[in-house]
Amino acid sequence: MDIVAEKAEEPALNIIQLCGKLSVEKNEWVISKQLLRSATSIGANISEAS
């Protein structure tokens, strides 16, 4: 794994854990879904470019 992919992995994993803790009852899932998509798209873009 190259350095860019390594640096993108840890923040993405942290955000995935954070999104799992957000409440559905308070409509936090709306922002959670967008945050999850944006955080994981970094890794997807890196792997696509490699």
Side-chain angles (χ1 to χ4, degrees):
M1 187 181 285
D2 65 349
I3 188 81
V4 176
E6 289 176 13
K7 290 190 177 274
E9 184 178 17
E10 184 179 347
L13 293 175
N14 290 337
I15 290 173
I16 291 168
Q17 289 178 345
L18 171 69
C19 289
K21 294 177 182 177
L22 295 177
S23 173
V24 172
E25 295 172 7
K26 296 181 182 177
N27 290 330
E28 294 171 344
W29 59 273
V30 175
I31 192 72
S32 172
K33 289 193 310 183
Q34 181 59 41
L35 181 60
L36 188 59
R37 279 194 303 262
S38 64
T40 55
S41 72
I42 296 168
N45 290 335
I46 291 170
S47 71
E48 184 74 24
S50 297

